[in-house]
Amino acid sequence: MLRILKTVPKITVTALIVLAIANLLVGVILRYFVGAITDWLDVDPVPFTWVEEVGELSLAWLTLIGAAIGIRSRSHFSLSVFVHRLPEATQLWIGCFNHALIAGVGLLVAWYGWKLCLLNSALKTPGLEISLAWLYASAVVGGILIAVYALAMMISPPTLQDPQH
């Protein structure tokens, strides 16, 4: 189960990056090339409002899932000015406290994301005509992943000899 919880977000983020790049390319082609051709032929333009919506959805999901992956891989920025001078037990306690705060923020993001999902579930996007709840569900999933990964870091904190620490 832990392997799935660790692997699926990475695969999802990779797929979202590919989707965002392909979507950007399609948007450029539709806007500048197909638009110019339809203008030259004097035919109705090809609608491409959906391109912006796909980009917005993919970037929202990418950002929130990616933030959780950053917590798990300890790749977020941290500044140790004073803590490294404290005893090892105190350093580990402060690390656990920091991850408890991160888990709390993740749960808060998930809670408000859930409320936004419920509030906007009846609204539809103009291009794709899908529920806006899909956009705010990224906050729910990302917030839960942030909380789970932060709690996992509390349960098995890095040792001070860990090269990533």
Side-chain angles (χ1 to χ4, degrees), residues 15-86:
L16 286 168
I17 289 171
V18 171
L19 174 66
I21 292 170
N23 181 63
L24 184 64
L25 179 63
V26 167
V28 168
I29 290 170
L30 286 175
R31 176 166 290 160
Y32 295 106
F33 296 110
V34 175
I37 292 170
T38 56
D39 284 346
W40 183 68
L41 295 174
D42 197 29
V43 294
D44 289 336
V46 176
F48 56 90
T49 56
W50 59 270
V51 172
E52 184 179 333
E53 293 172 12
V54 170
E56 183 179 351
L57 284 165
S58 61
L59 288 176
W61 282 88
L62 176 70
T63 300
L64 286 154
I65 295 173
I69 292 170
I71 289 169
R72 182 71 183 130
S73 64
R74 290 184 234 126
S75 60
H76 286 291
F77 176 76
S78 64
L79 182 63
S80 299
V81 176
F82 175 70
V83 177
H84 69 283
R85 297 182 191 275
L86 297 174

Side-chain angles (χ1 to χ4, degrees), residues 53 56-57 61 113 116-126 129-138:
E53 293 172 12
E56 183 179 351
L57 284 165
W61 282 88
L116 285 169
C117 281
L118 295 176
L119 182 68
N120 293 300
S121 62
L123 299 176
K124 302 232 181 266
T125 63
E129 296 183 7
I130 61 172
S131 173
L132 267 178
W134 283 105
L135 176 63
Y136 299 111
S138 63

Side-chain angles (χ1 to χ4, degrees), residues 9 14 20 35 45 47 49 55 84-86 96 113 141-142 154-155 159 165:
T14 303
T49 56
H84 69 283
R85 297 182 191 275
L86 297 174
C96 286
V141 172
M154 284 176 61
I155 292 170
T159 61
H165 185 14

